Amino acid sequence: MKTRVAITGMGIISAIGNTVAENFAALRNSKSGLTHLEFLETKHAKDYLFGEIKQSNAGLEQKLQLSKNNNFTRGALLAGVAAKEALRNANLETLPNDLAFVNATSVGGMDYTEKFYQNFSDKQNTQKYIEAQHPGFTTDVIGAHLGCKNLVTTISTACSSSANAILTGAKLIENNKAKQVLVGGTDCLSKFTINGFKSLMILSKNACKAFDKNRDGLNLGEAAAYLVLEDEETAKERNQPILGYCSGFANANDAYHQTASSASGEGNYLAIKKALQKANLNARQIDYILAHGTATVNNDVSEGKALQRIFENNNLPPISSTKAFTGHTLGAAGAVEAVFAILALQKQVVFKNLNFETPMPEIPIKPVTAFQSNKNEHVLSNSFGFGGNCTSLIFSKA
């Protein structure tokens, strides 16, 4: 019998708060973090709304007590803040030698390479960032700062990256390859992602409206979030409170298109179906769905069709997307929403789907329109990425 994967710590920094408690307060009060840009310099700063964290890199460096000659990019800085909160929450500030670290990012340190690339050849003080664009660089910098001595690895599968980091960590524990794993992801805003999503014509100038008939695109955001996963017996041996369980997880890839979900939602459907099978649950046992819900025309119909197939006769439990709070945080999104799923289990609540007014004609999903109490035993969280890389996670009450 495989061990249960316990969650014993979590940490987050996003546009709606610098800690888990601050994020929950914003969710409870239905307070969005979408604003115009203040810290990233781009000609699109006032054209669109973003989930920007209102802290400078210098302020984040100070918070982490870094030396002046550090090589942390913004993604690494955000990760350091969230990862340390997760480790404190799990009472692992003195890092175990065998703690594994599975980190996810899609942007990596691209914000610094695009800032300094013209000066790498003649300015030595910027050459420490030459490798920063590679996602593994970010992971290595964070791992070294935390003192990780065991497995350190990177997952980069676009918007499903940190959901896949959680999946990977859970598999390591189930197969007795690790007793404790720090999992999650980080992504910061960059010119590359803003220009890239603008070229796809899926950025919204307004606050996004997931599952709404009049949705017109997403808002990009930045964040970092981490969970400490443990073998259940290890957590009990050290009397560490268990926040919840990662009971189901699955990845599927329909390889339909480089950036679009398949019209039928086949990859989405398979990921959800297999996650339910892994958790030994049927669809009726899911109490709340934290949807991927990007508010793009393509995604919301695709995800809606997958959910319609899983939950027959449109008999859906409460469902909402939280991306109108934080923005779409790309590689960090799965971990951000994993933290929100655990909060939903702990507090026995569901979160508002901000800005929803009119159901889509194709799939008439009516998401939650107010923060409210809900009896939650099992929460489904979806993360669907470019290339058709789809991951679903199920979190269960402790």
Side-chain angles (χ1 to χ4, degrees), residues 254 256 260-266 298 301-303 305-306:
D254 57 27
Y256 169 76
S261 299
S262 64
S264 66
E266 185 67 18
N298 171 254
V301 171
S302 179
E303 184 171 12
K305 286 184 177 179

Side-chain angles (χ1 to χ4, degrees), residues 16 20-32 322 325 340 343 347 349-352 354 369-373:
I16 58 172
V20 171
E22 289 181 11
N23 273 261
F24 179 70
L27 291 166
R28 181 185 59 213
N29 296 317
S30 299
K31 183 179 179 181
S32 172
T322 54
F325 286 92
F340 294 168
L343 286 169
K347 309 293 186 180
V349 295
V350 294
F351 305 120
K352 182 177 180 178
L354 296 175
T369 55
F371 175 87
Q372 60 195 51
S373 298

Side-chain angles (χ1 to χ4, degrees), residues 10 20 89 242-244 339 341-349 376 397:
M10 55 186 183
V20 171
N89 188 216
I242 293 172
L243 308 178
V339 169
I342 299 302
L343 286 169
L345 289 166
Q346 287 185 309
K347 309 293 186 180
Q348 292 289 283
V349 295
N376 296 325
K397 191 172 181 289

Side-chain angles (χ1 to χ4, degrees), residues 133-150:
Q133 188 156 336
H134 190 282
F137 176 93
T138 301
T139 303
D140 290 343
V141 167
I142 304 161
H145 177 70
L146 296 175
C148 296
K149 297 180 176 65
N150 194 5

Side-chain angles (χ1 to χ4, degrees), residues 209-215 355-361 365-367:
K209 307 173 69 164
F211 301 112
D212 193 278
K213 174 185 177 182
N214 300 309
R215 67 198 183 283
N355 310 315
F356 177 81
E357 294 174 336
T358 308
M360 304 181 294
I365 290 175
K366 293 183 179 180

Side-chain angles (χ1 to χ4, degrees), residues 96-111:
N97 287 334
D98 58 353
L99 178 84
F101 179 37
V102 184
N103 183 57
T105 182
S106 62
V107 175
M110 195 179 295
D111 60 315

